[in-house]
Amino acid sequence: MSRNKWGNRSLLTIAAVVLALSAGCSSSTSNGKNASSTPAVDTAKPKEKVTIKVWANTRHDIEVRESLIKKFNETNPDNIQIDYKVYSDNYDEQLKLALNAGKLPDIAYNISADLANADYPLDLNPLITPEIRKRFDQSALTAPPTSKNGELDRVFENVTNLKLVYNKDLFKASGLDPEKPPTTWQEMQQYAKQITASGGGKKFGLGLPIKQTVFWRYYVIYPAAVSGDIYGREGWNAATGKFDFSPFAKYVKWWIDVNKEGSVFPGVGNYDNDMIRAQFSEGNIGMLSAATWDIGVFNDQFPAKIDWAVADFPTWGGKVLGGPAYETASGFSINKKTEHLKEAQKVWEFFISDEMFVTLAKKGLGSFTNLAAQDKSIQPADRKGSEGFVINGKSTNYPMAPRLDYSVVNPPLKVGSIDIKKSGVVNDVMTELFIKGKDLPEIEKSLQELGDAFNKLTTANVEAKTVELKKYLQPDFKPLK
């Protein structure tokens, strides 16, 4: 791990609580003589119990969090009780109902834009002490461009790292070295063909879960990072201040070609990510794109029956020109209107403690910006694949794309017959190109039109004052450190 990136660590200390002492007093007799004074007795007045309501929307980590919460409730000196509730299916709806009823929780995890716009979150910048800064990667404590006046509404705790996972058993059975994953896309194409040829019609080199079209992000856009083909997320180029989807044309064509060769698990377009991950765990697919949360998927949800490993994505031309992409997200926000601000802050400090993140990481429940979790807690022997998803000195957190209001252009712009009215249109365009099996000139033309449309939409947002473009510019951004 790069020490220059992560720096030194220190534990967050909590100030001791000063207890009020009651004093005894002396009394006089009716004849004016002083009665013998009773010694003053020090008594500590019990603190009144304060309940802090915390809402979250993640169920995969509930066992760990509830165990630590129980310990906190039983041992904290301030008589604070955490009431922790998880809404995994209708979380945003529950938050909206609470907002309308004026009954929002004291602390909420992963708040939506609706709550941010409703002035729910407390600005945490004044609470970020030097000790906290030493305990987290800088990306965790940097307010995103979407924030109001540079306010920090959460410590961004989760790291989503995108990698290639591959089946070492299938590599070996196909005559490939299981310790040498592909280093170029051309090599990956050859590997996929070789795995498929030796698979007897049951095992295939690749999978592509584009029934959920969002997965073009994980199979084209972020994999292109190590080749130096992205300078921001979602096709945004933070250095030029323009959207540019043209670098992705060759990758879309690559997927069209390997599918035509029969190297992709059959039925592409009809299976989602769960279905294809289950096939990988069964040993029927050689290589997949995967994210940090797949550590839990391949260990628990669909326990892998194979020997598998994690690698960086291959490069296009054989030379690494960009860092592997990762994103930070989620975290606990404090209700700025809570009636128990002091106690809510103590609970928030508990949720961002080293103990919390180390325990979560030891269980393989994610990768985190907390340095103690990165450095100390990953147990590859216990949670296969964990080590491969740790962010390190090579990893790059690419700049965010502008959050566009698609309604400012009406009627919407088009790429072919597809309306530009949602961010997911990028995936829709790629899916259409793939399904129709287009050749490279047509792919390049469509992606150029897509970039032109997004840049017109961006200009319209700037004119409508819904986007402050300078917040999204990084002229000196370098994808490779």
Side-chain angles (χ1 to χ4, degrees):
M1 172 163 301
S2 170
R3 294 292 171 185
N4 290 334
K5 178 178 181 65
W6 301 114
N8 296 322
R9 304 172 301 280
S10 64
L11 295 176
L12 179 65
T13 57
I14 302 176
V17 180
V18 180
L19 301 177
L21 302 178
S22 60
C25 57
S26 58
S27 59
S28 300
T29 62
S30 57
N31 62 7
K33 295 181 179 180
N34 289 335
S36 59
S37 299
T38 304
V41 178
D42 290 340
T43 59
K45 184 179 180 181
K47 283 182 173 292
E48 183 179 351
K49 181 185 291 186
V50 175
T51 298
I52 298 297
K53 294 184 177 181
V54 181
W55 289 9
N57 65 337
T58 56
R59 191 168 292 280
H60 73 285
D61 57 8
I62 190 170
E63 183 179 347
V64 168
R65 290 201 191 272
E66 286 188 340
S67 175
L68 292 175
I69 288 168
K70 182 175 183 293
K71 177 182 174 183
F72 177 90
N73 285 346
E74 293 173 350
T75 61
N76 82 85
D78 302 298
N79 207 7
I80 299 171
Q81 295 292 295
I82 299 174
D83 178 9
Y84 185 70
K85 291 186 178 180
V86 175
Y87 300 90
S88 57
D89 297 325
N90 57 348
Y91 184 60
D92 286 346
E93 180 182 345
Q94 291 295 326
L95 286 173
K96 287 180 181 178
L97 290 172
L99 174 63
N100 293 334
K103 296 182 178 180
L104 285 165
D106 302 284
I107 294 176
Y109 185 74
N110 198 22
I111 64 169
S112 64
D114 288 336
L115 254 66
N117 294 334
D119 207 27
Y120 169 88
L122 179 75
D123 180 17
L124 300 177
N125 278 314
L127 306 185
I128 305 301
T129 63
E131 288 78 13
I132 292 177
R133 291 197 180 278
K134 290 178 181 179
R135 294 173 42 237
F136 287 88
D137 176 43
Q138 183 180 353
S139 62
L141 307 172
T142 302
T146 52
S147 68
K148 181 178 66 175
N149 301 322
E151 293 184 1
L152 182 69
D153 64 15
R154 73 199 79 179
V155 172
F156 293 89
E157 62 180 49
N158 293 116
V159 172
T160 300
N161 209 353
L162 289 304
K163 293 295 183 89
L164 180 75
V165 294
Y166 67 98
N167 181 334
K168 297 175 74 173
D169 293 337
L170 272 186
F171 270 48
K172 188 174 181 179
S174 304
L176 299 169
D177 188 338
E179 304 304 324
K180 293 183 178 179
T183 58
T184 67
W185 284 74
Q186 295 74 19
E187 191 174 49
M188 185 161 64
Q189 184 172 1
Q190 295 169 8
Y191 283 18
K193 189 183 296 186
Q194 193 166 330
I195 291 168
T196 304
S198 63
K202 295 182 179 180
K203 302 181 187 299
F204 300 84
L206 299 155
L208 183 64
I210 58 167
K211 182 178 180 180
Q212 297 165 273
T213 56
V214 67
F215 281 93
W216 285 112
R217 297 175 71 227
Y218 307 122
Y219 283 82
V220 165
I221 296 177
Y222 285 134
V226 292
S227 300
D229 283 325
I230 70 172
Y231 281 72
R233 305 180 194 179
E234 315 299 342
W236 172 248
N237 187 318
T240 64
K242 299 286 185 181
F243 282 93
D244 184 9
F245 301 97
S246 59
F248 307 130
K250 57 182 179 283
Y251 300 96
V252 175
K253 179 63 165 60
W254 186 93
W255 279 107
I256 291 170
D257 289 345
V258 294
N259 188 52
K260 286 180 178 178
E261 291 170 357
S263 297
V264 180
F265 192 85
V268 61
N270 295 317
Y271 49 77
D272 59 22
N273 200 37
D274 271 358
M275 294 169 67
I276 208 64
R277 290 184 296 185
Q279 290 294 333
F280 178 80
S281 289
E282 287 292 324
N284 298 325
I285 293 173
M287 294 170 283
L288 283 182
S289 177
T292 306
W293 55 75
D294 288 316
I295 298 169
V297 171
F298 296 135
N299 280 280
D300 303 315
Q301 185 178 356
F302 305 123
K305 301 175 182 179
I306 58 173
D307 185 14
W308 60 282
V310 183
D312 286 340
F313 289 110
T315 64
W316 190 261
K319 188 175 181 181
V320 175
L321 298 174
Y326 76 94
E327 293 182 355
T328 56
S330 303
F332 288 94
S333 302
I334 299 176
N335 184 349
K336 70 190 310 180
K337 297 178 182 177
T338 177
E339 296 178 359
H340 307 287
L341 183 58
K342 182 179 178 181
E343 291 80 5
Q345 181 178 340
K346 289 179 182 293
V347 171
W348 170 77
E349 290 171 349
F350 157 73
F351 274 107
I352 66 165
S353 66
D354 285 355
E355 181 184 21
M356 176 66 72
F357 291 116
V358 167
T359 308
L360 288 167
K362 279 184 175 179
K363 292 289 186 180
L365 294 173
S367 185
F368 302 97
T369 56
N370 175 266
L371 305 186
Q374 286 288 324
D375 280 354
K376 301 174 185 174
S377 63
I378 302 300
Q379 305 290 328
D382 299 331
R383 302 292 291 177
K384 192 172 181 64
S386 296
E387 189 174 27
F389 282 97
V390 175
I391 56 176
N392 54 39
K394 298 187 302 179
S395 305
T396 301
N397 186 13
Y398 288 83
M400 287 181 63
R403 183 180 293 172
L404 301 176
D405 180 350
Y406 293 84
S407 68
V408 300
V409 176
N410 194 25
L413 300 166
K414 289 180 177 291
V415 173
S417 61
I418 299 176
D419 289 340
I420 309 297
K421 59 181 181 181
K422 58 179 182 177
S423 59
V425 71
V426 175
N427 301 293
D428 294 340
V429 169
M430 290 185 181
T431 297
E432 182 177 80
L433 292 168
F434 175 83
I435 291 173
K436 292 183 177 179
K438 294 291 187 179
D439 288 325
L440 201 54
E442 294 172 284
I443 297 172
E444 291 171 330
K445 180 175 181 294
S446 291
L447 294 183
Q448 180 64 48
E449 290 176 358
L450 183 65
D452 291 342
F454 265 77
N455 287 323
K456 288 179 182 177
L457 183 61
T458 302
T459 299
N461 272 261
V462 171
E463 292 173 351
K465 297 184 179 180
T466 57
V467 166
E468 191 174 350
L469 196 60
K470 66 180 182 180
K471 291 184 176 181
Y472 298 89
L473 298 178
Q474 293 188 33
D476 299 326
F477 176 75
K478 299 290 190 295
L480 189 64
K481 299 171 183 176

